[in-house]
């Protein structure tokens, strides 16, 4: 359907192939679990793409026709070709939305668009995570309560070395005591970027209805807006200028 927002769910897809426990949680990959939820929403046209496909599944008309790209990567960030990274970033600047999940904080496109190290503290102890909504009027938390709990997750802790977000929507608290800016909105030229923390591969986080709802909300928030074209450089005056 041409008037539906086109979403491409990109996943590295390696953990699911290498680890039987993870494959059990996500038999068709984490991208398939996320894509199934988004497709069932009814208003989105959802595709998937993975690292091991030619051009990482992002060649041809895939990026030009994608309205919002979701990105999950971890163990193979370095295998993502720089030429594809450049194309992803150029599309974001031209208005494509980008939703970066969990360990995607270290992905090449996110680091390039942020311009910082995007480093953080981490610990894998299966502890409880509570995500607090701190901007209750924001479209990304539409339909949520004050917080959501995830029974078992990897911990990410501050400091998270990112530029100050344009909007901070969610903050996580972890049972071990750390806090983390878990839902961060950024704008880069015409494009919107949302970083969303949950989603360690060893836990069933992408079966959690609250997490999936936030991802779906973020996709709609990040959708391209048919605004004016952008021009840079020398520009003729619109009005007659008085010359001295
Ligand atoms: Zn992780």
């Amino acid at each position: 359907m041409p008037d539906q927002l086109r979403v491409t769910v990109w996943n590295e897809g390696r953990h699911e192939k290498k680890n039987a426990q993870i494959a059990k949680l996500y038999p068709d990959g984490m991208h398939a679990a996320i894509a199934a939820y988004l497709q069932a929403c009814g208003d989105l046209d959802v595709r998937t793409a993975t690292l091991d496909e030619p051009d990482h599944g992002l060649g041809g008309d895939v990026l030009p026709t994608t309205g919002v790209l979701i990105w999950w990567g971890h163990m193979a960030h370095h295998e993502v070709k720089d030429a594809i990274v450049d194309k992803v970033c150029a599309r974001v600047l031209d208005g494509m939305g980008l939703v970066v999940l969990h360990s995607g904080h270290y992905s090449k496109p996110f680091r390039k668009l942020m311009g910082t190290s995007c480093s953080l503290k981490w610990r894998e102890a299966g502890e409880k995570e509570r995500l607090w909504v701190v901007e209750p009027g924001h479209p990304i938390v539409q339909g949520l309560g004050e917080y959501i709990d995830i029974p078992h997750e990897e911990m990410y802790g501050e400091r998270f070395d990112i530029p100050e977000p344009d909007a901070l929507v969610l903050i996580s608290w972890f049972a071990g005591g750390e806090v983390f800016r878990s839902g961060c909105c950024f704008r880069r030229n015409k494009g919107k970027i949302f970083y969303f923390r949950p989603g360690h591969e060893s836990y069933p986080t992408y079966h959690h209805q609250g997490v999936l709802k936030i991802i779906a909300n973020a996709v709609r928030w990040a959708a391209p807006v048919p605004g004016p074209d952008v021009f840079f450089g020398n520009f003729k005056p619109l009005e007659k200028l008085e010359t001295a």
Side-chain angles (χ1 to χ4, degrees), residues 74 102-103 154 156 200-201:
H74 180 229
H102 187 61
S103 42
E154 180 182 21
Y156 278 7
H200 186 66
E201 64 277 1

Side-chain angles (χ1 to χ4, degrees), residues 58-104:
L58 298 174
D61 69 348
V62 173
L63 281 175
T65 59
T66 294
V68 177
L69 178 66
I70 297 176
W71 193 279
W72 196 103
H74 180 229
M75 63 192 291
H77 290 318
H78 60 285
E79 291 185 43
V80 179
K81 291 182 205 134
D82 289 336
I84 300 291
V85 174
D86 291 347
K87 281 185 187 167
V88 167
C89 294
R91 276 287 295 135
V92 171
L93 298 181
D94 195 38
M96 181 183 75
L98 179 65
V99 176
V100 176
L101 299 175
H102 187 61
S103 42

Side-chain angles (χ1 to χ4, degrees), residues 29-75:
M30 284 182 278
H31 54 293
I34 295 166
Y37 179 90
L38 296 177
Q39 195 66 64
C41 290
D43 60 330
L44 304 170
D45 173 11
V46 186
R47 316 286 166 99
T48 62
T50 53
L51 177 70
D52 290 332
E53 294 171 50
D55 292 328
H56 312 320
L58 298 174
D61 69 348
V62 173
L63 281 175
T65 59
T66 294
V68 177
L69 178 66
I70 297 176
W71 193 279
W72 196 103
H74 180 229
M75 63 192 291

Side-chain angles (χ1 to χ4, degrees), residues 126-173:
E127 67 206 82
K128 179 174 170 173
E129 173 178 12
R130 176 167 295 152
L131 288 118
W132 285 96
V133 173
V134 293
E135 280 299 342
H138 199 282
I140 289 179
V141 294
Q142 189 176 341
L144 258 63
E146 263 199 303
Y147 60 85
I148 65 169
D149 283 341
I150 303 176
H152 304 287
E153 251 295 352
E154 180 182 21
M155 185 282 293
Y156 278 7
E158 296 283 346
R159 158 125 175 116
F160 182 20
D161 181 25
I162 48 170
E164 185 175 2
D166 298 317
L168 176 60
V169 181
L170 296 148
I171 292 175
S172 286
W173 164 89

